[in-house]
Amino acid sequence: MMPLYQSHPEFLFGNSMDTSRAEHTPRDEDVDEKLLRQLADNEKMAELGRLSVGIIHEINTPLSVIAAASQMVLREKDLPDAVTEMVERIHQEAQRLSRLTRGILCFSRDDSQSGETDVNLILTEVVAFLMYEIRKRSVHVTWGTAPLLPPVQANPNLLKQVFLNLIVNSLQAMENGGELSLDSTLTDDAMVRVRIRDTGPGIPEDAVDRIFDPFFTTKEPGKGTGLGLFITRRNVEKMGGTILLESRRGEGACFTLVFPPAAP
């Protein structure tokens, strides 16, 4: 199983991610060339991802020293108010950066084994990871996750990749802001259902049935491979789930994922 930082490094290094929302299908003779180019890009990004994890480990050491030292200074008595305020700010920022680096390392972990997985927890981690992108695009997130859902039998890292790809697609569809709705529930037949809905421009009805096809993309030629949603559906099916898209032009898009609960 490929770690997430290898398969989705664009948020560390910047890259226009494939939204898989359109009607451009390359000719058959272009497929091999596209695959080879994609493999080369993946190898380069994988190496950058490995380097980034090493850099993050190096950053964590001085951050820990700064956080500990600032806490010790704050224990001193009779500090001037200005000094206390400044040191408190240093301590808070060091802690914030530490949480950020821990989150990136968590995403880069290679969880190759399936197990009982909390879908609400994975959704929360993915949204926290993408919070900068969410704020930058002025997107409001609404939550409707049901508490005490049964766990699903899934590879946590694979499920993160699924949610990451779908949420990124939604964010990229809302260039001028919008609302991202995330909800989860237990269906009447005891299945765990997750919905990811956006208020973007939506997808033409004649494209909905083909949206999970390989090399089918809304991106302009040369800007997308059309593999994002194809891989997402394969990953969902590997975990025993299903994925469905509901969308109309001008009415946003809603992806519904259904997973069987883990065996008791």
Side-chain angles (χ1 to χ4, degrees), residues 100-121:
L100 176 62
T101 56
R102 284 197 302 270
I104 295 174
L105 289 174
C106 177
F107 264 85
S108 69
R109 188 172 59 241
D110 185 5
D111 295 320
S112 58
Q113 299 297 319
S114 293
E116 293 188 356
T117 303
D118 183 343
V119 296
N120 288 343
L121 177 61

Side-chain angles (χ1 to χ4, degrees), residues 172-216:
Q172 293 186 339
M174 297 184 286
E175 296 182 354
N176 300 313
E179 184 172 303
L180 175 68
S181 300
L182 306 170
D183 67 73
S184 62
T185 190
L186 192 66
T187 65
D188 292 339
D189 55 351
M191 302 288 278
V192 176
R193 184 180 67 202
V194 176
R195 282 184 174 149
I196 299 173
R197 187 191 306 269
D198 65 60
T199 57
I203 299 168
E205 292 184 60
D206 58 354
V208 170
D209 291 340
R210 302 176 59 199
I211 203 67
F212 296 107
D213 290 350
F215 305 111
F216 187 75

Side-chain angles (χ1 to χ4, degrees), residues 152-169:
V152 301
Q153 187 71 25
N155 179 325
N157 199 47
L158 203 61
L159 192 57
K160 286 177 186 177
Q161 292 184 44
V162 167
F163 289 158
L164 181 71
N165 192 41
L166 295 176
I167 292 175
V168 166
N169 283 353

